[in-house]
Amino acid sequence: MNIAVIFAGGTGKRMNTKSKPKQFLEMHGKPVLIYTLENFQQHPMIDKIVLVCLEAWIDYAKSLLKKYAIDKICRIVPGGDSGQESIFHGIQAAHEIFHDEDVVLIHDGVRPLINEDTITSCIKMVKEHGNAITVSPAIETIFLKEADTQQVGKIFNRSSCEMAKAPQCFKLGDIYQAHCRAIEEKKLDFIDSASLMQHYGYPLYTVEGPAENIKITTPVDFYIFRAVMDAKENLQILGF
C-alpha cells in the first residue's frame, strides 16, 4: 500500500490573512489544499490519504472533500502544537490502519505543484532504498551565518547543494518508530522528517522534483502559484 499523509495543520501567520488559514485560500475558486489533494487522489499508485487538519477546520475540510470528490481519504486527524507533532498524528493514524512495510508519503497541504512523475519516482525509490526525499537544486548562494554578527560565514558551492522539499517518503514502520523515539527522548524540534530520520541514523536518498514545487508560505508564494497555474492554463488553450 502507498499512503499519503497530507499535513494541513498550519495557521499561516506569514500569509497575513485573518479570514482563512493559507491551505484554504482559493485560487480560481478552488482551495489550495484541494489542488494538493487532487495530485494524490488522481495518482494511480496512491491507495489512501490521511489528512492532518486544524481541529477547528475539520468540518469545513470534510465539506470540501465531499464537494471535490476526494474519496481516498481514510482518516482526518487534528494537528498538534508543532509541525513535528502534527506529522506524528498523521503517521500514528496511518500506523493504526496499515502495515510497517507500506510506503508513506509525507507532503505539505500548501505544496500544490507536485506532479505525478515525482510521486511515482518517490514510491519507486522507497521500495528500492527504504526512503525518498524530494529535492531541487540550489539556485542561490548558500552560506552559514556567523552567530551574533553580521558577517558571512562559510560559503558553500551551490552545485553541491540541494533544497529539501516534499514529499518525504519512508517505510511506515521506520518513520513511526523514529517519531516514537523522538517523543521518548523529548527531541521535539526537528524541522522536517528528513532531519529526524537522519538523526536516527538512516541514510537518505533523493528524488529530484520540479523547481515549481514551492511551499506557499508568504503572499509572494501565492502569486507565484497563480502565475504558474495561469501559464499552464494558457498553454492548454494554445494546444501545447
Side-chain angles (χ1 to χ4, degrees):
M1 298 281 282
N2 303 311
I3 307 102
V5 171
I6 307 300
F7 166 56
T11 56
K13 294 178 181 178
R14 282 173 286 181
M15 282 296 292
N16 297 321
T17 176
K18 298 179 180 179
S19 58
K20 290 181 179 179
K22 57 188 177 181
Q23 56 269 33
F24 296 115
L25 294 178
E26 294 187 357
M27 173 66 65
H28 299 322
K30 183 188 296 185
V32 170
L33 176 60
I34 295 300
Y35 282 102
T36 302
L37 288 171
E38 285 178 339
N39 287 300
F40 294 89
Q41 170 72 27
Q42 296 167 6
H43 196 288
M45 295 176 72
I46 296 296
D47 298 297
K48 294 293 181 180
I49 302 170
V50 174
L51 177 62
V52 183
C53 185
L54 287 168
E55 189 165 14
W57 288 81
I58 287 178
D59 287 343
Y60 180 66
K62 287 180 178 178
S63 69
L64 292 176
L65 299 177
K66 182 177 181 180
K67 177 179 179 181
Y68 291 97
I70 308 295
D71 60 9
K72 286 185 180 180
I73 300 285
C74 62
R75 187 77 67 84
I76 302 177
V77 296
D81 293 332
S82 67
Q84 183 178 333
E85 184 180 357
S86 294
I87 290 172
F88 177 66
H89 286 183
I91 295 297
Q92 187 176 42
H95 194 260
E96 291 171 356
I97 305 171
F98 304 106
H99 302 99
D100 284 350
E101 291 301 308
D102 290 334
V103 176
V104 60
L105 301 91
I106 302 167
H107 193 74
D108 304 295
V110 288
R111 205 182 282 273
L113 293 171
I114 187 62
N115 60 29
E116 181 175 321
D117 288 344
T118 304
I119 294 172
T120 300
S121 295
C122 282
I123 293 171
K124 290 180 178 178
M125 182 65 79
V126 176
K127 291 182 177 179
E128 183 176 355
H129 291 293
N131 59 68
I133 309 300
T134 307
V135 300
S136 65
I139 59 174
E140 304 280 1
T141 298
I142 298 173
F143 61 83
L144 290 176
K145 180 181 178 181
E146 291 289 348
D148 302 321
T149 74
Q150 291 183 307
Q151 290 183 316
V152 172
K154 180 180 179 181
I155 298 176
F156 295 92
N157 183 344
R158 70 183 180 197
S159 65
S160 301
C161 297
E162 292 182 311
M163 311 295 290
K165 296 195 172 186
Q168 298 186 356
C169 317
F170 310 92
K171 292 291 183 68
L172 178 56
D174 290 344
I175 186 68
Y176 176 74
Q177 292 299 330
H179 269 278
C180 289
R181 285 185 64 184
I183 293 169
E184 182 179 347
E185 297 171 8
K186 294 181 169 53
K187 298 182 182 295
L188 306 176
D189 58 350
F190 290 105
I191 193 169
D192 62 3
S193 299
S195 59
L196 183 151
M197 293 296 277
Q198 187 178 67
H199 176 81
Y200 287 113
Y202 288 87
L204 302 179
Y205 295 84
T206 62
V207 168
E208 187 166 329
E212 67 267 22
N213 180 26
I214 61 171
K215 182 178 180 181
I216 298 177
T217 304
T218 68
V220 171
D221 300 325
F222 191 79
Y223 297 140
I224 292 172
F225 174 43
R226 183 168 66 185
V228 171
M229 294 303 296
D230 288 347
K232 288 183 177 180
E233 184 175 321
N234 290 338
L235 287 173
Q236 289 178 350
I237 291 172
L238 294 173
F240 292 104

